Amino acid sequence: MDCAPASDDVYLRPSVQTAVKVLIVGHFAVGKTTFVGTLSEIRPLRTEEVMTEAGALVDDLAGTRDKTTTTVALDFGRLTLNDRLVLYLFGTPGQQRFTRLWQDMTQGALGALVLADTRRLSQSFEVMGVLEEHGLPYAVALNQFHDAPAYELDEVREALDLLPETPLVRCDARDRVSSTRALIHLVEYLLTLSHSRPRPSGGTPHGHLEHA
């Protein structure tokens, strides 16, 4: 699957046939805003606010001492993977108090990419639990931080109790090629799932993922 180059165009290409909503999820300060901003071919929509002392009382700031802003609603971006397939990226807030908000955002999404941090793997369980509760398939991408311990992927898979078929990759949310590769793993996984499910009569419903 080829990745289209970055574009400043606001409008979709006329050839686009399939638009897919994908969530970019993960715990607090795992790099979701950076990930969406790195990949979006349009100016990303961000809802960031400066963090306050009051927020520090409820948010786990361990390992995030340089973080000064936080997403309070969503990040939104768009990525055209090829002439026929475009992804709409919805980055969700990471704090527990916003869980209800991004639960609502699962509506209409075909899948999610879970960003994880090896320094705080246990914080990913709640995120994955919400996705599983809503029946939303997902892939996991380990965002690379300079001071994060390096583990073999098999070790991380076991620690997160992932199913064998759940994609698990490494990525750098600051790097376009690396981040695109993580999304492609998710899209290929969604394609595999869509082919394994019975197709409803009347063809493929609007918004469902076909071979693109």
Side-chain angles (χ1 to χ4, degrees):
M1 186 179 295
D2 296 327
C3 174
S7 169
D8 293 328
D9 293 341
V10 175
Y11 301 104
L12 288 176
R13 301 174 185 178
S15 59
V16 169
Q17 298 177 2
T18 306
V20 175
K21 177 182 179 182
V22 171
L23 301 186
I24 309 301
V25 303
H27 56 70
F28 177 64
V30 76
K32 300 179 294 296
T33 297
T34 300
F35 187 94
V36 173
T38 295
L39 287 180
S40 182
E41 63 199 12
I42 59 175
R43 184 183 297 277
L45 169 65
R46 292 174 174 168
T47 56
E48 287 197 305
E49 295 292 342
V50 175
M51 295 180 64
T52 64
E53 292 183 7
L57 297 176
V58 293
D59 297 328
D60 182 2
L61 302 181
T64 62
R65 60 185 179 184
D66 296 328
K67 187 171 178 61
T68 59
T69 62
T70 186
T71 300
V72 295
L74 59 86
D75 298 309
F76 173 78
R78 190 187 77 199
L79 175 64
T80 302
L81 284 184
N82 58 39
D83 287 338
R84 294 182 294 171
L85 175 62
V86 64
L87 303 183
Y88 289 116
L89 311 176
F90 288 78
T92 64
Q95 298 95 317
Q96 291 184 355
R97 62 183 183 277
F98 293 123
T99 299
R100 180 62 181 271
L101 171 65
W102 74 263
Q103 283 179 328
D104 294 337
M105 291 170 62
T106 62
Q107 299 300 315
L110 288 192
L113 184 68
V114 179
L115 293 186
D117 179 352
T118 57
R119 298 171 300 179
R120 298 176 288 159
L121 281 179
S122 62
Q123 295 184 27
S124 297
F125 284 112
E126 182 176 4
V127 174
M128 295 187 298
V130 173
L131 296 175
E132 292 168 1
E133 179 182 341
H134 286 78
L136 199 63
Y138 60 87
V140 178
L142 299 177
N143 193 13
Q144 303 295 290
F145 293 91
H146 73 277
D147 58 344
Y151 298 109
E152 296 295 330
L153 290 182
D154 286 345
E155 294 179 277
V156 176
R157 179 177 295 278
E158 182 177 356
L160 292 177
D161 196 25
L162 298 179
L163 295 174
E165 61 269 24
T166 301
L168 173 64
V169 297
R170 303 184 195 276
C171 81
D172 183 338
R174 303 164 299 178
D175 180 76
R176 184 176 180 82
V177 173
S178 171
S179 298
T180 301
R181 189 179 300 118
L183 269 182
I184 288 176
H185 275 84
L186 171 63
V187 171
E188 290 177 340
Y189 178 50
L190 296 177
L191 277 169
T192 300
L193 293 178
S194 68
H195 293 161
S196 65
R197 295 169 180 164
R199 177 171 293 190
S201 59
T204 302
H206 175 72
H208 282 221
L209 191 61
E210 307 176 284
H211 247 309

